[in-house]
Amino acid sequence: MLYRREIDGLRSFAVLPVILFHAGFSLFSGGFVGVDVFFVISGFLITSIIIEEMKVGRFSILGFYERRARRILPALFFVMLISIPFAWMLLSPSDLHDFAQSLVSIALFGSNFLFWQESGYFDTAAELKPMLHTWSLAVEEQYYVLFPLLILLAWRFGTRLLVALIAVIAGASLVISEVQVQTQPSTAFFLLPARAWQLLVGSLAAFLVIYSRRLPLFLDRFSSVSELLGALGLMMIVWATFMFSDLMPFPGLNALIPTIGSVLVLLFGTSKTLVGRLLGFGPLVGIGLISYSAYLWHQPIFAFTRHAVPGEVPAMVMLILSALSLGLAYLSWRCIEKPFRSRTIVSRKVIFTVSVAGILAFVGIGATGLVWRDNMTFMRLSGVSSELTDTFRNGEALRAERDRLIQPFFSEANAPFSGDPAKKRILIFGDSVSGDLYGSMMLNQERFQGLEIRRLQLDDRCMGDFVRLLKGAELRSLHDKSCRRGLDKIRSGSLFPEADVLVLNAHWARSGGDRPHLDAMALAEMLAAQGRQVDVVGLLAMKDASSAAFQAIKRGLTVDEANAYAYRTLKRGHIDQPNEDFRALAARAANIRYLDKYALFCNDKDEVCALYDEDRQLQFSDTNHVSGIGAVSYGKRIAEQGWFESSSP
């Protein structure tokens, strides 16, 4: 296959938006589509190589996997190896446990399954996962296992049938993608069945370039049209980069824009066109050449920095780190990628030996981290002088303790109200954060004798659907099965119409943007206009509390110093705007109250947040959920503030 500079230039339009998106620059709100561009390029190049070798009878599975091993594994293993000491120094026990899991899953080409089961790609916790970005490598690796076998099996039946088969599979994958993005968005994002169509579209483009007699004639005879189509493709990618956001359903049909744009560039953005010459510009080609290493480096650098620095990392620092990613990418491309891709420097035997040894080593390191987690925590804290050391527990243990205390109440959470006219009926609905509120109040039932408290599960992303439901929308139009179940309970049960006070409580910033809390505001206004009393609970989110506690201990801080440290870890970019909007809504709207959760635990005057209580017990288990001790404290603080006393039945 002839080298095309413009394809390396296109890689730069893929990797730079991804880096800047992960760096947190809102201008690149759709920068994640760079991964889609990579998928199309990979499908195109891999298929081109396979076809050319099949045509001359030189293709072999062993040779194919050798090339993939040379291309992917050495740089990946190097970044993983360099990340281990930083993980040891910076990650809390629960985060280190997750990191160890990621080492195993990456080595076994299944990290997309791991991250699919954990937090979503756009959740705020995702930015703290050093190896999250390897999910896309796992998707490609799984594709590399299956696609050559498909070619080998179907080649004998002719090119037309093979192309038709690939097109059918791609169409089925696109249908799966669109269905799953509406019902199981994380599954659609992370797993191969909903992503294969993007790689296969690149494959179809390769067949067109190699076999079509009309395409070269078209490029020559209709050069102006080719110019327009190539420019249109690049504009589609750029438009998606700046106009898409993590709040939209993705991939699904929305992913057609960057995907088709990439195909148009590959087909029509040749070196004879203006777009091709632009993409062939030296600096862009240079970034494209190091794009794989840049992709590998940026996420660990960003994640470890966010673990090390309290609060939001300044934009200028993130820009410098982005440049650092490119600098390290050049070094690893020059010193690792290029040598290992050369058969004269590294033989087949050596590359396979290194690959197998690396896989076994990282599986072993990761498994050791999982088995010896508690011992490793003791080793990392041994010799640290801090009054908090003996009382430290990791986030997983704190969550288990919280669940043990509050989950027994959940069996009665959606039982009908008793009908006692002397009691005020409180209905809480929202995501897992509302479970904290409900459980904390139930743990302090003696403080809420005049209340009947119930709860219905409703994720923050369902608030907009609730608005549409109240406006008469059909349930079949709802985009998520969990939303459907929650709204069915609300619509069919007696709790919603009988409640004296409706409490909206969710982690409004979970999706990384404004839509959840804006939907909650619209819902509150609609209910208030109907004469209902609505309480909206504000947001409190800091960096993972267990991680903050671990860092406080390693710094030898006292309780007071640790609480001041926790204040500096507040996720200002996620909590301030929703809370201000809720406060303004309550000030202007009758029947709506703003309940300030932030003020229960944080004091701006003294610049402290109650990460620890006076008995040196952690009150939070992660970014925004209370621990077991915190649940008891939360209920007490609610009662002391009289949150529900002024809401008349």
Side-chain angles (χ1 to χ4, degrees):
M1 178 182 176
L2 294 176
Y3 173 65
R4 291 175 57 184
R5 288 172 57 86
E6 61 271 18
I7 294 180
D8 275 326
L10 182 59
R11 293 183 200 269
S12 68
F13 275 79
V15 73
L16 291 177
V18 171
I19 291 174
L20 294 171
F21 170 76
H22 285 154
F25 294 104
S26 58
L27 179 63
F28 295 85
S29 59
F32 54 87
V33 303
V35 173
D36 305 80
V37 178
F38 276 130
F39 283 160
V40 177
I41 294 174
S42 293
F44 179 82
L45 294 177
I46 290 300
T47 305
S48 299
I49 294 170
I50 293 176
I51 291 174
E52 291 183 352
E53 292 188 347
M54 290 292 291
K55 288 171 66 177
V56 297
R58 289 194 297 108
F59 178 76
S60 75
I61 290 292
L62 186 64
F64 175 81
Y65 290 146
E66 177 193 345
R67 286 193 299 271
R68 292 299 87 206
R70 289 179 184 276
R71 174 75 171 119
I72 294 173
L73 297 183
L76 174 62
F77 287 167
F78 181 69
V79 172
M80 292 167 67
L81 183 65
I82 296 299
S83 297
I84 290 173
F86 289 95
W88 176 269
M89 290 185 292
L90 296 172
L91 300 187
S92 70
S94 57
D95 291 327
L96 190 61
H97 175 270
D98 292 343
F99 178 79
Q101 281 187 312
S102 72
L103 293 182
V104 175
S105 63
I106 294 168
L108 298 177
F109 315 127
S111 62
N112 57 330
F113 287 98
L114 173 68
F115 296 120
W116 164 57
Q117 293 174 330
E118 296 179 350
S119 62
Y121 184 77
F122 299 123
D123 290 354
T124 55
E127 66 187 18
L128 298 175
K129 294 182 179 296
M131 292 295 153
L132 176 67
H133 61 321
T134 61
W135 73 270
S136 64
L137 302 183
V139 169
E140 290 196 25
E141 288 157 352
Q142 292 153 19
Y143 175 79
Y144 297 152
V145 170
L146 299 174
F147 185 71
L149 300 178
L150 173 66
I151 297 290
L152 283 175
L153 292 173
W155 186 260
R156 70 188 69 178
F157 300 109
T159 304
R160 290 188 177 181
L161 182 59
L162 177 56
V163 169
L165 179 60
I166 292 174
V168 169
I169 297 173
S173 173
L174 177 58
V175 171
I176 291 171
S177 183
E178 177 61 20
V179 171
Q180 286 187 336
V181 84
Q182 304 294 340
T183 58
Q184 299 171 294
S186 290
T187 304
F189 195 92
F190 283 111
L191 301 190
L192 179 62
R195 288 291 192 168
W197 67 274
Q198 297 177 291
L199 291 141
L200 292 172
V201 165
S203 298
L204 292 172
F207 275 97
L208 187 60
V209 168
I210 293 174
Y211 285 102
S212 174
R213 296 177 181 177
R214 297 180 179 179
L215 181 62
L217 295 175
F218 182 92
L219 294 174
D220 287 337
R221 294 179 182 178
F222 303 99
S223 58
S224 59
V225 177
S226 298
E227 291 275 8
L228 289 174
L229 291 175
L232 175 63
L234 189 59
M235 288 173 60
M236 292 170 73
I237 296 171
V238 172
W239 187 86
T241 297
F242 293 110
M243 301 306 295
F244 279 16
S245 80
D246 53 13
L247 297 174
M248 64 191 303
F250 199 85
L253 295 177
N254 286 322
L256 282 169
I257 294 177
T259 302
I260 294 176
S262 301
V263 170
L264 290 176
V265 173
L266 291 172
L267 293 178
F268 301 104
T270 66
S271 59
K272 296 179 180 180
T273 65
L274 180 61
V275 165
R277 290 192 291 273
L278 169 64
L279 293 176
F281 180 53
L284 292 179
V285 173
I287 293 173
L289 288 172
I290 65 172
S291 60
Y292 175 59
S293 283
Y295 185 76
L296 291 178
W297 278 113
H298 82 281
Q299 179 66 12
I301 290 173
F302 293 168
F304 288 132
T305 300
R306 286 171 170 138
H307 277 285
V309 177
E312 298 289 336
V313 182
M316 182 55 66
V317 173
M318 296 306 294
L319 190 61
I320 293 171
L321 294 177
S322 300
L324 175 63
S325 300
L326 296 178
L328 291 175
Y330 172 77
L331 293 176
S332 58
W333 171 76
R334 184 71 180 269
C335 302
I336 297 173
E337 285 194 67
K338 288 188 70 178
F340 273 96
R341 291 171 70 177
S342 172
R343 288 186 174 89
T344 60
I345 299 176
V346 179
S347 67
R348 171 179 287 184
K349 180 179 179 180
V350 170
I351 190 62
F352 280 135
T353 300
V354 169
S355 299
V356 173
I359 290 170
L360 294 176
F362 285 109
V363 168
I365 293 171
T368 301
L370 296 174
V371 173
W372 297 97
R373 179 183 59 186
D374 293 339
N375 301 67
M376 291 167 65
T377 300
F378 175 77
M379 289 170 61
R380 292 191 294 159
L381 293 180
S382 62
V384 176
S385 177
S386 171
E387 63 178 288
L388 308 175
T389 304
D390 293 339
T391 62
F392 175 73
R393 287 170 291 173
N394 64 51
E396 185 176 321
L398 292 165
R399 287 190 289 274
E401 177 192 50
R402 178 197 67 209
D403 292 346
R404 178 180 59 81
L405 289 174
I406 69 175
Q407 282 191 347
F409 298 109
F410 287 2
S411 60
E412 299 296 323
N414 54 9
F417 288 117
S418 67
D420 185 346
K423 289 192 174 183
K424 186 187 303 180
R425 297 177 291 273
I426 307 292
L427 176 61
I428 302 167
F429 53 98
D431 60 13
S432 59
V433 176
S434 75
D436 278 3
L437 174 62
Y438 171 77
S440 298
M441 294 180 70
M442 297 304 291
L443 280 171
N444 291 269
Q445 292 181 69
E446 71 282 356
R447 298 173 180 268
F448 302 102
Q449 294 294 327
L451 305 179
E452 270 195 282
I453 308 164
R454 300 290 186 268
R455 176 197 176 236
L456 289 173
Q457 175 82 21
L458 188 66
D459 287 349
D460 58 3
R461 65 180 181 273
C462 307
M463 296 295 175
D465 288 331
F466 196 5
V467 173
R468 290 183 281 278
L469 177 65
L470 293 178
K471 289 182 176 179
E474 293 292 331
L475 282 178
R476 58 183 170 81
S477 70
L478 302 177
H479 74 277
D480 190 280
K481 286 183 179 179
S482 64
C483 293
R484 188 188 305 271
R485 288 192 295 268
L487 294 172
D488 275 339
K489 284 185 178 181
I490 292 174
R491 187 176 67 167
S492 61
S494 62
L495 290 176
F496 179 70
E498 292 180 2
D500 298 312
V501 182
L502 302 170
V503 183
L504 310 184
N505 185 202
H507 184 44
W508 308 114
R510 187 185 64 175
S511 299
D514 291 334
R515 181 176 296 173
H517 92 273
L518 293 178
D519 285 340
M521 291 172 65
L523 176 58
E525 289 184 293
M526 179 177 292
L527 295 173
Q530 297 172 359
R532 306 299 298 271
Q533 173 64 46
V534 184
D535 289 349
V536 183
V537 181
L539 184 63
L540 172 58
M542 59 185 78
K543 286 188 178 178
D544 184 272
S546 180
S547 178
F550 184 75
Q551 295 300 324
I553 292 170
K554 289 193 68 176
R555 288 167 168 79
L557 304 184
T558 65
V559 169
D560 291 340
E561 290 169 337
N563 288 340
Y565 179 83
Y567 184 85
R568 298 197 296 276
T569 72
L570 287 171
K571 301 180 75 65
R572 291 290 185 189
H574 299 289
I575 66 175
D576 285 351
Q577 191 61 55
N579 286 347
E580 287 302 316
D581 289 348
F582 287 145
R583 186 178 286 107
L585 172 67
R588 69 173 183 264
N591 298 341
I592 298 178
R593 292 194 315 150
Y594 168 59
L595 304 181
D596 193 351
K597 181 180 179 180
Y598 175 90
L600 293 185
F601 289 96
C602 297
N603 185 325
D604 286 332
K605 180 181 178 182
D606 297 329
E607 295 188 345
V608 296
C609 286
L611 178 64
Y612 283 90
D613 66 11
E614 59 274 9
D615 295 321
R616 305 188 302 176
Q617 300 296 316
L618 273 170
Q619 299 209 84
F620 291 86
S621 61
D622 57 22
T623 303
N624 58 312
H625 292 91
V626 294
S627 64
I629 294 294
V632 176
S633 175
Y634 189 17
K636 290 179 180 178
R637 292 166 189 253
I638 291 170
E640 290 168 357
Q641 290 295 312
W643 268 14
F644 301 105
E645 291 177 2
S646 59
S647 302
S648 57

